[in-house]
Amino acid sequence: MEWRLVLPGRPQLTLHDTRWDNGERDLVLHQPSVVPEMPALLANLHGRRRAGIEAVPAGRGRLRLMAWTVIPRTGSDRAGFQKSLTTAQLAAQCGLPLLRTLTSRPGVTLEPAFDREDLPLVDLEHPQDVKPLQHALYFPVDDDETPVMAYVITRVMPTLRAVGWLPPSPAF
């Protein structure tokens, strides 16, 4: 399945939601045969920083996408990534209003990726800034839009902001 991200006055970006024969599924920014003119940092995101979508063990009809972020590097044409963040750091990098909108969708939650007693709760009303953890977005199996929105918010938008194609993330 293909999704298109359209920004006025900019080249269209295409996201591929691929469902493999072996049951795996992932999202990635599709690399066209001819990449339109764009900053190298954004062009180099094509085909990289995939988001795997996986079934939750005993999740009863739920899937998850790891909510790590792409981090544009100063002075580099390639973006890095950050997997362990405090909830406040995740909110700062992605935009707290966007994360709240995402988790307000039916059946969608943002939680620690792993079930461990020492991990803090993920609370977008009061994002903690003490303990880094790996976050995951959980959503219903029949929800095709949420993982695409999450991919754009966590992987694509930080790069679009870094290259000046979007305004900075609003403070919270």
Side-chain angles (χ1 to χ4, degrees), residues 138-155:
Y138 294 85
F139 56 94
V141 169
D142 60 351
D143 181 351
D144 288 333
E145 294 175 356
T146 295
V148 174
M149 292 168 61
Y151 181 80
V152 170
I153 291 168
T154 61
R155 309 310 201 274

Side-chain angles (χ1 to χ4, degrees), residues 57-140:
R60 294 191 219 147
R62 287 175 45 104
L63 299 173
R64 80 173 182 179
L65 178 143
M66 301 299 277
W68 50 267
T69 59
V70 165
I71 306 294
R73 298 179 190 150
T74 305
S76 175
D77 288 343
R78 299 229 186 248
F81 59 92
Q82 188 172 3
K83 291 188 177 184
S84 291
L85 308 112
T86 66
T87 305
Q89 289 171 323
L90 180 68
Q93 291 177 18
C94 297
L96 185 58
L98 291 172
L99 289 175
R100 285 180 176 158
T101 298
L102 194 59
T103 57
S104 70
R105 297 173 59 85
V108 177
T109 59
L110 182 66
E111 303 172 23
F114 304 103
D115 189 19
R116 291 188 2 220
E117 289 180 21
D118 65 328
L119 296 178
L121 293 175
V122 174
D123 180 357
L124 292 178
E125 293 306 315
H126 305 284
Q128 64 87 17
D129 199 20
V130 176
K131 185 169 181 100
L133 63 133
Q134 290 186 25
H135 295 79
L137 190 75
Y138 294 85
F139 56 94

